[in-house]
Short mmCIF file of all heavy atoms in Angstrom, two decimals:
data_model
loop_
_atom_site.label_atom_id
_atom_site.label_comp_id
_atom_site.label_asym_id
_atom_site.label_seq_id
_atom_site.Cartn_x
_atom_site.Cartn_y
_atom_site.Cartn_z
N PRO S 625 105.71 154.06 -154.64
CA PRO S 625 106.26 153.59 -153.36
C PRO S 625 105.53 154.17 -152.21
O PRO S 625 105.00 155.29 -152.29
CB PRO S 625 107.72 154.12 -153.40
CG PRO S 625 107.76 155.15 -154.44
CD PRO S 625 106.61 154.94 -155.37
N ASN S 626 105.47 153.41 -151.09
CA ASN S 626 104.81 153.94 -149.88
C ASN S 626 105.76 154.99 -149.27
O ASN S 626 106.89 155.21 -149.68
CB ASN S 626 104.46 152.81 -148.91
CG ASN S 626 105.69 152.05 -148.43
OD1 ASN S 626 106.78 152.63 -148.25
ND2 ASN S 626 105.51 150.79 -148.15
N ILE S 627 105.29 155.65 -148.22
CA ILE S 627 106.05 156.75 -147.61
C ILE S 627 107.41 156.24 -147.05
O ILE S 627 108.42 156.97 -147.14
CB ILE S 627 105.19 157.52 -146.53
CG1 ILE S 627 105.94 158.77 -146.09
CG2 ILE S 627 104.89 156.63 -145.36
CD1 ILE S 627 106.05 159.83 -147.14
N ASP S 628 107.45 155.09 -146.47
CA ASP S 628 108.73 154.57 -145.97
C ASP S 628 109.72 154.40 -147.05
O ASP S 628 110.89 154.72 -146.88
CB ASP S 628 108.48 153.25 -145.19
CG ASP S 628 107.75 153.41 -143.91
OD1 ASP S 628 107.80 154.49 -143.31
OD2 ASP S 628 107.08 152.41 -143.47
N THR S 629 109.26 153.83 -148.16
CA THR S 629 110.18 153.65 -149.31
C THR S 629 110.61 154.96 -149.93
O THR S 629 111.77 155.13 -150.24
CB THR S 629 109.48 152.73 -150.37
OG1 THR S 629 109.15 151.48 -149.74
CG2 THR S 629 110.39 152.49 -151.52
N LEU S 630 109.68 155.94 -149.99
CA LEU S 630 110.02 157.26 -150.47
C LEU S 630 111.11 157.89 -149.59
O LEU S 630 112.04 158.53 -150.11
CB LEU S 630 108.79 158.16 -150.48
CG LEU S 630 107.81 157.98 -151.65
CD1 LEU S 630 106.60 158.78 -151.46
CD2 LEU S 630 108.49 158.36 -152.98
N CYS S 631 110.95 157.74 -148.28
CA CYS S 631 111.96 158.30 -147.38
C CYS S 631 113.34 157.65 -147.61
O CYS S 631 114.40 158.32 -147.60
CB CYS S 631 111.55 158.14 -145.94
SG CYS S 631 110.20 159.24 -145.44
N LYS S 632 113.36 156.34 -147.75
CA LYS S 632 114.60 155.66 -148.04
C LYS S 632 115.22 156.12 -149.37
O LYS S 632 116.43 156.28 -149.48
CB LYS S 632 114.38 154.12 -148.07
CG LYS S 632 114.11 153.49 -146.77
CD LYS S 632 113.83 151.99 -146.91
CE LYS S 632 113.39 151.37 -145.57
NZ LYS S 632 113.09 149.94 -145.73
N LEU S 633 114.39 156.27 -150.38
CA LEU S 633 114.86 156.70 -151.71
C LEU S 633 115.44 158.18 -151.59
O LEU S 633 116.47 158.45 -152.20
CB LEU S 633 113.76 156.66 -152.74
CG LEU S 633 113.40 155.24 -153.20
CD1 LEU S 633 112.07 155.24 -153.97
CD2 LEU S 633 114.51 154.71 -154.06
N ALA S 634 114.72 159.00 -150.87
CA ALA S 634 115.21 160.40 -150.72
C ALA S 634 116.57 160.42 -150.02
O ALA S 634 117.48 161.12 -150.49
CB ALA S 634 114.18 161.22 -149.94
N ASP S 635 116.71 159.64 -149.00
CA ASP S 635 118.00 159.56 -148.28
C ASP S 635 119.11 158.98 -149.18
O ASP S 635 120.21 159.44 -149.27
CB ASP S 635 117.89 158.76 -147.01
CG ASP S 635 117.09 159.43 -145.95
OD1 ASP S 635 116.88 160.66 -146.03
OD2 ASP S 635 116.64 158.73 -144.97
N PHE S 636 118.74 157.88 -149.87
CA PHE S 636 119.64 157.19 -150.73
C PHE S 636 120.21 158.08 -151.88
O PHE S 636 121.38 158.07 -152.16
CB PHE S 636 118.97 155.96 -151.34
CG PHE S 636 119.83 155.09 -152.23
CD1 PHE S 636 120.79 154.25 -151.64
CD2 PHE S 636 119.69 155.14 -153.61
CE1 PHE S 636 121.57 153.47 -152.46
CE2 PHE S 636 120.46 154.31 -154.43
CZ PHE S 636 121.43 153.50 -153.86
N TYR S 637 119.29 158.86 -152.49
CA TYR S 637 119.71 159.69 -153.58
C TYR S 637 120.06 161.11 -153.13
O TYR S 637 120.56 161.92 -153.96
CB TYR S 637 118.58 159.79 -154.61
CG TYR S 637 118.37 158.50 -155.42
CD1 TYR S 637 117.16 157.83 -155.46
CD2 TYR S 637 119.39 158.02 -156.20
CE1 TYR S 637 117.03 156.68 -156.21
CE2 TYR S 637 119.27 156.83 -156.91
CZ TYR S 637 118.08 156.18 -156.93
OH TYR S 637 117.93 155.01 -157.70
N GLY S 638 119.90 161.41 -151.87
CA GLY S 638 120.25 162.76 -151.41
C GLY S 638 119.40 163.86 -151.91
O GLY S 638 119.88 164.96 -152.21
N VAL S 639 118.08 163.61 -152.00
CA VAL S 639 117.14 164.56 -152.48
C VAL S 639 115.97 164.73 -151.49
O VAL S 639 115.88 163.91 -150.60
CB VAL S 639 116.55 164.23 -153.93
CG1 VAL S 639 117.67 164.17 -154.93
CG2 VAL S 639 115.82 162.92 -153.85
N SER S 640 115.16 165.71 -151.63
CA SER S 640 114.02 165.94 -150.78
C SER S 640 112.84 165.04 -151.25
O SER S 640 112.78 164.67 -152.37
CB SER S 640 113.57 167.35 -150.74
OG SER S 640 113.07 167.74 -152.00
N LEU S 641 111.92 164.85 -150.33
CA LEU S 641 110.71 164.12 -150.69
C LEU S 641 109.95 164.94 -151.73
O LEU S 641 109.32 164.37 -152.66
CB LEU S 641 109.81 163.88 -149.46
CG LEU S 641 110.32 162.81 -148.50
CD1 LEU S 641 109.44 162.78 -147.26
CD2 LEU S 641 110.31 161.45 -149.19
N ASP S 642 109.90 166.25 -151.57
CA ASP S 642 109.24 167.11 -152.56
C ASP S 642 109.77 166.84 -153.97
O ASP S 642 109.01 166.76 -154.92
CB ASP S 642 109.42 168.61 -152.22
CG ASP S 642 108.46 169.04 -151.15
OD1 ASP S 642 107.49 168.32 -150.84
OD2 ASP S 642 108.64 170.16 -150.62
N TYR S 643 111.07 166.72 -154.08
CA TYR S 643 111.69 166.48 -155.38
C TYR S 643 111.20 165.18 -155.95
O TYR S 643 110.83 165.06 -157.12
CB TYR S 643 113.22 166.49 -155.28
CG TYR S 643 113.91 166.22 -156.60
CD1 TYR S 643 114.08 167.30 -157.50
CD2 TYR S 643 114.31 164.99 -156.94
CE1 TYR S 643 114.66 167.06 -158.75
CE2 TYR S 643 114.91 164.76 -158.19
CZ TYR S 643 115.11 165.78 -159.05
OH TYR S 643 115.65 165.59 -160.25
N LEU S 644 111.21 164.13 -155.12
CA LEU S 644 110.77 162.80 -155.54
C LEU S 644 109.34 162.76 -156.08
O LEU S 644 109.04 162.04 -157.01
CB LEU S 644 110.94 161.78 -154.47
CG LEU S 644 112.33 161.22 -154.22
CD1 LEU S 644 112.27 160.15 -153.14
CD2 LEU S 644 112.99 160.69 -155.49
N VAL S 645 108.49 163.55 -155.46
CA VAL S 645 107.08 163.54 -155.87
C VAL S 645 106.74 164.69 -156.83
O VAL S 645 105.59 164.95 -157.08
CB VAL S 645 106.13 163.54 -154.65
CG1 VAL S 645 106.37 162.27 -153.81
CG2 VAL S 645 106.28 164.77 -153.81
N GLY S 646 107.76 165.34 -157.39
CA GLY S 646 107.50 166.35 -158.41
C GLY S 646 107.13 167.68 -157.95
O GLY S 646 106.59 168.47 -158.70
N ARG S 647 107.44 168.00 -156.70
CA ARG S 647 107.08 169.33 -156.14
C ARG S 647 108.28 170.23 -156.01
O ARG S 647 108.22 171.18 -155.27
CB ARG S 647 106.43 169.14 -154.78
CG ARG S 647 105.08 168.52 -154.82
CD ARG S 647 104.45 168.38 -153.46
NE ARG S 647 104.73 169.61 -152.71
CZ ARG S 647 103.91 170.12 -151.80
NH1 ARG S 647 102.83 169.54 -151.53
NH2 ARG S 647 104.28 171.25 -151.17
N GLU S 648 109.39 169.95 -156.68
CA GLU S 648 110.56 170.78 -156.57
C GLU S 648 110.39 171.98 -157.42
O GLU S 648 110.05 171.90 -158.61
CB GLU S 648 111.81 169.99 -157.00
CG GLU S 648 113.09 170.62 -156.63
CD GLU S 648 113.82 171.17 -157.82
OE1 GLU S 648 113.79 170.51 -158.86
OE2 GLU S 648 114.47 172.24 -157.67
N PHE S 649 110.58 173.16 -156.87
CA PHE S 649 110.48 174.39 -157.61
C PHE S 649 111.84 175.07 -157.69
O PHE S 649 112.66 174.86 -156.81
CB PHE S 649 109.46 175.37 -156.86
CG PHE S 649 108.13 174.71 -156.66
CD1 PHE S 649 107.74 174.25 -155.46
CD2 PHE S 649 107.27 174.57 -157.73
CE1 PHE S 649 106.51 173.67 -155.27
CE2 PHE S 649 106.01 174.05 -157.55
CZ PHE S 649 105.60 173.56 -156.31
N GLY S 650 112.02 175.91 -158.71
CA GLY S 650 113.32 176.54 -158.90
C GLY S 650 113.83 177.33 -157.69
O GLY S 650 114.99 177.37 -157.43
N ASN S 651 112.91 177.90 -156.93
CA ASN S 651 113.34 178.69 -155.78
C ASN S 651 113.14 177.97 -154.46
O ASN S 651 113.28 178.55 -153.41
CB ASN S 651 112.47 180.01 -155.69
CG ASN S 651 112.79 180.89 -156.93
OD1 ASN S 651 113.85 180.93 -157.44
ND2 ASN S 651 111.78 181.59 -157.35
N ASP S 652 112.96 176.66 -154.55
CA ASP S 652 112.74 175.86 -153.32
C ASP S 652 114.08 175.56 -152.65
O ASP S 652 114.91 174.80 -153.16
CB ASP S 652 112.04 174.57 -153.66
CG ASP S 652 111.71 173.70 -152.48
OD1 ASP S 652 111.86 174.14 -151.31
OD2 ASP S 652 111.36 172.55 -152.68
N ILE S 653 114.34 176.16 -151.49
CA ILE S 653 115.58 175.94 -150.80
C ILE S 653 115.62 174.57 -150.14
O ILE S 653 116.67 174.11 -149.70
CB ILE S 653 115.84 177.05 -149.78
CG1 ILE S 653 117.34 177.07 -149.40
CG2 ILE S 653 114.95 176.89 -148.58
CD1 ILE S 653 117.75 178.33 -148.74
N GLY S 654 114.49 173.91 -150.06
CA GLY S 654 114.42 172.59 -149.42
C GLY S 654 115.18 171.54 -150.20
O GLY S 654 115.59 170.52 -149.63
N TYR S 655 115.39 171.74 -151.46
CA TYR S 655 116.14 170.76 -152.26
C TYR S 655 117.48 171.32 -152.61
O TYR S 655 117.58 172.34 -153.21
CB TYR S 655 115.37 170.38 -153.59
CG TYR S 655 116.26 169.54 -154.48
CD1 TYR S 655 116.55 168.28 -154.18
CD2 TYR S 655 116.81 170.12 -155.59
CE1 TYR S 655 117.37 167.53 -154.99
CE2 TYR S 655 117.62 169.37 -156.43
CZ TYR S 655 117.93 168.07 -156.11
OH TYR S 655 118.76 167.34 -156.91
N LEU S 656 118.53 170.65 -152.24
CA LEU S 656 119.85 171.05 -152.60
C LEU S 656 120.57 169.90 -153.29
O LEU S 656 120.43 168.70 -152.87
CB LEU S 656 120.66 171.44 -151.33
CG LEU S 656 120.13 172.60 -150.51
CD1 LEU S 656 120.97 172.77 -149.26
CD2 LEU S 656 120.20 173.87 -151.34
N THR S 657 121.35 170.22 -154.30
CA THR S 657 122.18 169.19 -154.96
C THR S 657 123.31 168.77 -153.99
O THR S 657 123.56 169.48 -153.02
CB THR S 657 122.81 169.73 -156.25
OG1 THR S 657 123.75 170.77 -155.88
CG2 THR S 657 121.76 170.26 -157.19
N PRO S 658 123.93 167.62 -154.25
CA PRO S 658 125.05 167.26 -153.37
C PRO S 658 126.13 168.33 -153.27
O PRO S 658 126.67 168.59 -152.17
CB PRO S 658 125.55 166.00 -154.04
CG PRO S 658 124.37 165.36 -154.67
CD PRO S 658 123.61 166.61 -155.19
N ASP S 659 126.46 168.99 -154.32
CA ASP S 659 127.46 170.08 -154.33
C ASP S 659 126.98 171.26 -153.43
O ASP S 659 127.75 171.79 -152.66
CB ASP S 659 127.77 170.63 -155.69
CG ASP S 659 128.63 169.66 -156.52
OD1 ASP S 659 129.29 168.77 -155.92
OD2 ASP S 659 128.65 169.77 -157.76
N GLN S 660 125.71 171.57 -153.54
CA GLN S 660 125.16 172.66 -152.71
C GLN S 660 125.16 172.24 -151.22
O GLN S 660 125.43 173.08 -150.35
CB GLN S 660 123.74 173.01 -153.16
CG GLN S 660 123.69 173.67 -154.52
CD GLN S 660 122.28 173.72 -155.11
OE1 GLN S 660 121.45 172.90 -154.80
NE2 GLN S 660 122.10 174.68 -155.99
N LYS S 661 124.89 170.99 -150.94
CA LYS S 661 124.93 170.54 -149.59
C LYS S 661 126.38 170.64 -149.04
O LYS S 661 126.56 170.98 -147.86
CB LYS S 661 124.44 169.10 -149.45
CG LYS S 661 122.94 168.94 -149.63
CD LYS S 661 122.55 167.49 -149.57
CE LYS S 661 121.03 167.37 -149.86
NZ LYS S 661 120.59 165.98 -149.84
N ASN S 662 127.36 170.32 -149.83
CA ASN S 662 128.71 170.42 -149.43
C ASN S 662 129.08 171.89 -149.09
O ASN S 662 129.80 172.16 -148.13
CB ASN S 662 129.69 169.87 -150.44
CG ASN S 662 129.66 168.37 -150.53
OD1 ASN S 662 129.31 167.68 -149.54
ND2 ASN S 662 129.99 167.83 -151.65
#
Side-chain angles (χ1 to χ4, degrees):
N626 63 32
I627 190 67
D628 290 334
T629 302
L630 281 172
C631 289
K632 288 178 186 176
L633 286 166
D635 290 343
F636 182 75
Y637 287 123
V639 298
S640 69
L641 287 172
D642 280 347
Y643 181 82
L644 281 184
V645 297
R647 291 182 40 148
E648 194 250 323
F649 304 103
N651 295 327
D652 181 10
I653 198 163
Y655 170 72
L656 299 174
T657 66
D659 286 340
Q660 292 167 334
K661 287 179 184 178
N662 287 335

